[in-house]
Amino acid sequence: MPVHSYAEEFRSPGSGADAGIGVLLSHGFTGSPASMRPFAEHLAAEGFGVALPRLPGHGTSWQEMNSTRWEDWFAVLENEFERLRKEHDHVFMAGLSMGGCLTLRLAEQHGADLRGLVLVNPSVMTDDKRLVALPVLKRFVPSLPGISNDIKKPGVNEYAYDRMPLKALFSLSQLWRLTRDDLAKVTQPVMLFRSTVDHVVEPSSGLKILSSISSRDVTETLLEDSYHVATLDNDAPRIFADSVGFIRRVAADA
C-alpha cells in the first residue's frame, strides 16, 4: 500500500564532534514519522546520527494497521538500533506516546547497549475501563473514532489516523502489560517529558514508569504549554534543547 508523503522516514549519518552518538526515534500509535520529524532534524543539525523509521501499518491506512502487531513495530526499531550500534559509539532512543513504551521495551531487552532514554508523554497503560472489552470487541468492530491532533498550538497537524484500529489497539495493550512487568529492568538514564494537560495519555502512565524503573539518573520535566503531541507543540524547542544536553552529558559520562 502506498505510503503518504508526510510519513517519509528520516535518517542522518551524523557529523562533527557528536558523530559518535546515534539517536533512534519512534512515533506513536496511529501516527507517523511526521510527529517526530522536527525533533529528528534538530538532532541531526546538532551532529548526531539519527534514525526515524516508519512503523509497519502507519502512514498508509488504519485498515492496514489492523493487520500489524506490536512485534512488527518493535522489530523495525530493533533492526534500526542494531544498525546504529554498528555505526556509533553510543546509542540513545527517544519515543513519543506508544513510541515511549517501545523505547522502554528496547531498554528492557538491551540493557546498557542503549545508553539513555528520552520519553515524551509515554504510554504504558490506560485508565479507560472500556478497554476491558477489547478482546471481544475487536472481533466484531474493526475500529472506533480516533484521537489525533491533541496539540495546543494552532494550525499544526500530526497526520494520525482518524480511526482507532481495534486489533492493533489490543496488541498495544499486550505491549503495555509486558513493558510494565519488566520496568524494573530499566537502569539507563531517563529524561521524561510530561504535559500537564494531555487528552490522550493519563498521568498514571508517567507515574507508573517513574515509580517502577531502577534508573538512578532520572529527570522529569512538566510541560505547561503543550498537549499530547508535545514534539509539535509550543514546548517542542525546550524538549529538543534539553534532550541534546541530556544526550551529550550522558555520553560524556559514559
Side-chain angles (χ1 to χ4, degrees):
M1 181 170 289
V3 177
H4 294 290
S5 59
Y6 59 74
E8 291 181 357
E9 301 180 329
F10 177 84
R11 291 177 182 82
S12 178
S15 61
D18 289 316
I21 300 173
V23 186
L24 173 61
L25 297 96
S26 176
H27 62 79
F29 187 76
T30 76
S32 78
S35 64
M36 296 291 274
R37 183 68 178 250
F39 196 179
E41 291 177 344
H42 183 91
L43 294 171
E46 291 290 331
F48 302 130
V50 174
L52 172 58
R54 179 184 64 87
L55 303 183
H58 295 74
T60 54
S61 71
W62 68 262
Q63 292 90 340
E64 183 186 23
M65 188 176 172
N66 245 347
S67 67
T68 66
R69 300 295 178 266
W70 78 263
E71 292 91 344
D72 303 316
W73 316 326
F74 187 76
V76 167
L77 294 172
E78 198 164 40
N79 287 337
E80 290 281 356
F81 171 70
E82 293 297 345
R83 181 183 65 79
L84 287 171
R85 280 188 61 204
K86 295 176 183 177
E87 298 175 356
H88 303 277
D89 300 322
H90 310 285
V91 179
F92 292 76
M93 186 168 177
L96 167 68
S97 195
M98 177 190 75
C101 186
L102 290 164
T103 298
L104 288 163
R105 190 62 182 161
L106 197 75
E108 294 167 356
Q109 296 292 304
H110 290 274
D113 288 337
L114 180 61
R115 197 66 73 184
L117 289 64
V118 176
L119 309 174
V120 183
N121 292 322
S123 69
V124 294
M125 59 193 296
T126 181
D127 301 335
D128 191 341
K129 303 304 181 184
R130 294 175 296 177
L131 265 66
V132 174
L134 258 183
V136 175
L137 189 63
K138 68 181 178 66
R139 300 177 185 176
F140 306 101
V141 181
S143 69
L144 291 174
I147 301 176
S148 62
N149 285 331
D150 188 32
I151 302 171
K152 186 176 182 180
K153 188 176 182 179
V156 181
N157 190 349
E158 68 164 322
Y159 296 103
Y161 296 146
D162 60 1
R163 302 293 299 181
M164 186 77 68
L166 293 194
K167 290 181 180 178
L169 181 60
F170 176 69
S171 185
L172 172 58
S173 71
Q174 294 176 310
L175 171 65
W176 283 341
R177 178 179 54 79
L178 289 170
T179 303
R180 287 198 309 271
D181 289 346
D182 286 342
L183 280 174
K185 294 181 180 179
V186 177
T187 59
Q188 300 92 332
V190 172
M191 174 164 278
L192 189 151
F193 295 95
R194 182 165 62 85
S195 297
T196 55
V197 178
D198 186 332
H199 304 98
V200 178
V201 173
E202 301 96 338
S204 55
S205 273
L207 296 174
K208 177 64 177 177
I209 293 166
L210 293 175
S211 65
S212 301
I213 59 177
S214 300
S215 307
R216 295 183 178 181
D217 183 348
V218 179
T219 303
E220 181 188 23
T221 299
L222 297 181
L223 305 174
E224 304 282 352
D225 199 25
S226 298
Y227 295 157
H228 181 64
V229 192
T231 50
L232 296 179
D233 217 327
N234 296 310
D235 290 302
R238 180 180 184 183
I239 294 172
F240 302 168
D242 287 1
S243 296
V244 168
F246 167 76
I247 290 169
R248 285 181 173 148
R249 174 179 65 80
V250 173
D253 290 344

